[in-house]
Amino acid sequence: MKTDDLARVLAEDLRPVRARPFAGPILPAGLGGAVVSAIILIVWLGLRPLGAATHSGPFWMKAAYTLALSSTGFAMATRLARPGGRIGGAGAPALLAIAWLAVLAGLETSRTAPTQLASLWLGQTWTECSFRIVALAAPVYLATLWVMRRMAPTRLGLAGAAAGLLAGSVGATVYGLYCEETTAAFVVVWYTLGVGCATALGALVGIRLLRW
């Protein structure tokens, strides 16, 4: 049998396989990094009284927002970790979450006296919040990057940004166990800034460390 005939016979039984993101190692890496971040938070800043906090709307508002960003970062990281990966519609949850929180912030602003607007948007910890989120993101980012490196991504900047988004939003979720700020206006600015900085740093570092 000629080579061309053999190739044709073998190809007849081939069936297309749907490409699926490979999430396996990224999930435990992210969870492991989150545990380390939580330990750092407890040693560094401590925890707020969680019993009372979990009965308040602001606590769950922040958790819902940061977890929506986390799901986006996770989806993007799993897509971009493999060669030729593309984002597709993975960014939709983050955009919807930001829009939702911006609407809440707008409603808060419309109901607040002009003399109280600075407190509404800046809270008591605006100078520290974003930095703390980036710091708590570091263990998650390093763990995720170590796993992604072994999966041979080809879009290094985007892959690093996805890892940074995942890490930053997990760091923000962990930070919420300490932070007592209660307004959507504060969260949409300073939490988002912290996650955004982690994403940008992730892209810059990823370009270098994800090369293979």
Side-chain angles (χ1 to χ4, degrees), residues 191-206:
Y191 272 58
T192 305
L193 178 62
V195 175
C197 288
T199 303
L201 288 171
L204 292 174
V205 175

Side-chain angles (χ1 to χ4, degrees), residues 24-35 139-147 166:
I26 293 179
L27 180 58
L31 291 175
V35 170
V140 183
Y141 181 72
L142 293 175
T144 304
L145 207 69
W146 180 75
V147 168
L166 173 60

Side-chain angles (χ1 to χ4, degrees), residues 67-140:
L67 289 174
L69 298 183
S70 298
S71 69
T72 299
F74 177 72
M76 291 173 61
T78 56
R79 289 170 182 252
L80 292 166
R82 289 298 190 184
R86 296 184 178 278
I87 296 174
L95 296 177
L96 290 174
I98 293 171
W100 165 67
L101 208 60
V103 170
L104 292 182
L107 292 174
E108 287 177 341
T109 301
S110 67
R111 298 168 182 168
T112 302
T115 56
Q116 299 298 316
L117 288 178
S119 177
L120 178 75
W121 287 90
L122 300 180
Q124 302 296 319
T125 59
W126 68 275
T127 58
E128 304 158 338
C129 175
S130 299
F131 166 76
R132 289 171 173 174
I133 287 173
V134 173
L136 292 170
V140 183

Side-chain angles (χ1 to χ4, degrees), residues 38-59:
I39 293 172
I40 292 173
L41 175 74
I42 293 169
V43 173
W44 179 21
L45 299 171
L47 297 175
R48 63 187 298 189
L50 293 178
T54 55
H55 289 85
S56 67
F59 178 87

